Amino acid sequence: MSPHFASRCTLVGAGPGDPELLTLKAVKAIANATLLLVDDLVNDAVLAHASPTARIVHVGKRGGCQSTPQAFIDKLMINALHEGERVVRLKGGDPFIFGRGGEEVEHLRAAGIDVEVVNGITAGLAGLSSLGASLTHREHAHGVVFVTGHAKPGDSGTDWPQLAATARQAKLTLVIYMGVSSLEHICQGLLSGLPAQTPVAVVQNASLPTQREVLTTLGELVHNVQSERLQSPSIIVVGDVVQGARAWQRVDSNPSVQRVA
């Protein structure tokens, strides 16, 4: 087999959880696959679109948990493609928003594999949308920043004080992925550049029946997330756009958590 794009792999975003949020293109790719390599955060209901004869291999990738080594996943994909399999790499959310899709594309292309990417709805968008609020409401934000709260080993991570100062000056919404485990450190940094009254939404299991959320302020964030026992996977949205959430109640004198039904 020629090493020059003789095989094709499809990276598919499965969306934030609700299987009805899949794109038509994603459904077609899943149905056409003979091998699906599936991340932990993909809803099992999505696999109902797979062929009955397809092989489904779960390759867990979740922050803070035991994960399948990336090198093993890469090798598995390449070997299967060289054997003529139609491979779909199925990822939660969007492959290119903190899904390591870029790394996998580079590795596959270096091996002579053509890659197609099917985007999915990322949890950072779905989380706040589920509360009836916009990430970029023009009255409250001039833009949005997607940022990870989980630095890779050897990386110093995000400069939270600098990001907070930039967000305040440029009127930006901050959407933080994988930030629950480092919440105290993140809050400490953000409070150096943003007011304690800045609205915040934390959404766990966005779009799923098990979704839970907390609406609060930056100054009360750590206390309220801990008291409500929110865990990963959760999205943290920081900024005035959170005021657009259906259940938001501004209590200037006594900021408090507001749970959404």
Side-chain angles (χ1 to χ4, degrees):
M1 182 174 289
S2 169
H4 297 295
F5 301 112
S7 303
R8 176 184 293 271
C9 181
T10 308
L11 271 60
V12 176
D18 182 350
E20 293 187 355
L21 294 178
L22 280 172
T23 64
L24 292 174
K25 194 168 187 177
V27 170
K28 291 177 182 177
I30 292 167
N32 191 49
T34 60
L35 172 65
L36 293 108
L37 303 178
V38 185
D39 275 354
D40 270 352
L41 293 178
V42 174
N43 190 332
D44 285 342
V46 168
L47 301 177
H49 297 289
S51 167
T53 60
R55 289 193 297 134
I56 297 173
V57 179
H58 292 273
V59 286
K61 301 295 290 182
R62 183 180 297 199
C65 300
Q66 186 72 26
S67 296
T68 304
Q70 187 63 46
F72 175 83
I73 297 172
D74 293 338
K75 184 176 181 180
L76 191 59
M77 284 192 288
I78 291 171
N79 288 345
L81 287 159
H82 285 166
E83 292 171 1
E85 298 264 23
R86 296 188 298 275
V87 178
V88 163
R89 178 76 171 94
L90 196 55
K91 294 172 170 288
D94 182 275
F96 282 177
I97 304 293
F98 302 117
R100 295 196 181 183
E103 298 173 38
E104 291 185 356
V105 165
E106 290 172 357
H107 195 85
L108 290 165
R109 285 178 177 165
I113 305 297
D114 196 6
V115 185
E116 180 180 14
V117 176
V118 179
N119 295 109
I121 296 174
T122 184
L125 173 60
L128 195 63
S129 295
S130 73
L131 306 183
S134 165
L135 289 176
T136 57
H137 192 298
R138 66 178 184 174
E139 297 296 328
H140 301 300
H142 293 160
V144 59
V145 175
F146 292 158
V147 60
T148 177
H150 180 72
K152 73 176 186 178
D155 192 322
S156 59
T158 301
D159 186 335
W160 297 106
Q162 181 62 55
L163 181 60
T166 301
R168 186 172 188 179
Q169 182 179 21
K171 207 173 181 181
L172 303 176
T173 303
L174 303 181
V175 181
I176 305 169
Y177 291 69
M178 299 172 283
V180 171
S181 62
S182 305
L183 195 57
E184 291 189 35
H185 171 71
I186 292 170
C187 276
Q188 183 179 12
L190 293 179
L191 283 168
S192 70
L194 287 169
Q197 293 75 30
T198 303
V200 181
V202 184
V203 184
Q204 178 181 325
N205 294 331
S207 83
L208 289 170
T210 54
Q211 176 173 315
R212 298 177 63 227
E213 56 283 309
V214 163
L215 298 181
T216 185
T217 60
L218 191 56
E220 296 290 318
L221 178 58
V222 172
H223 169 75
N224 287 328
V225 167
Q226 290 177 347
S227 66
E228 294 301 314
R229 298 182 180 179
L230 262 64
Q231 299 175 345
S232 296
S234 291
I235 292 294
I236 304 164
V237 182
V238 181
D240 288 341
V241 295
V242 174
Q243 295 176 74
R246 285 186 295 267
W248 176 263
Q249 294 181 2
R250 189 71 179 261
V251 187
D252 290 321
S253 60
N254 183 24
S256 61
V257 64
Q258 171 67 47
R259 278 175 288 176
V260 181

